[in-house]
């Protein structure tokens, strides 16, 4: 589970975020490209979840 204290600054504000433990394996953006993007060598959330189907695939 991501740690809020280690949240990457590139995430958009909201409930979901990536922390600095990310090794940028691309799994996030492959599973939910409408939510995650790459920034500064990490995956970050650029769109908070609004679709239940996307949320199910991501969690
Ligand atoms: S891309 Fe996603 S699954 Fe891969 S290391 Fe980063 S946060 Fe974890």
């Amino acid at each position: 589970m991501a740690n809020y204290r280690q949240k990457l600054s590139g995430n958009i504000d909201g409930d979901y975020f990536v922390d600095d433990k990310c090794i940028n394996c691309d799994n996030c953006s492959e599973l939910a490209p409408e939510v995650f993007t790459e920034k500064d060598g990490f995956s970050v959330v650029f769109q908070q979840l609004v679709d239940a189907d996307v949320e199910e695939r991501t969690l």
Side-chain angles (χ1 to χ4, degrees):
M1 176 178 242
N3 184 330
Y4 189 79
R5 292 183 188 150
Q6 296 171 286
K7 178 181 175 181
L8 295 169
S9 61
N11 293 283
I12 192 170
D13 288 340
D15 291 339
Y16 295 96
F17 61 89
V18 177
D19 72 12
D20 65 5
K21 294 186 193 87
C22 177
I23 60 170
N24 203 20
C25 73
D26 285 340
N27 197 35
C28 288
S29 57
E30 287 180 13
L31 289 172
E34 57 275 73
V35 173
F36 297 95
T37 190
E38 182 178 333
K39 185 171 184 181
D40 299 328
F42 297 99
S43 288
V44 293
V45 174
F46 74 96
Q47 175 68 52
Q48 291 293 324
L49 300 176
V50 293
D51 182 316
D53 181 54
V54 173
E55 188 164 9
E56 186 172 312
R57 284 186 282 134
T58 306
L59 299 177

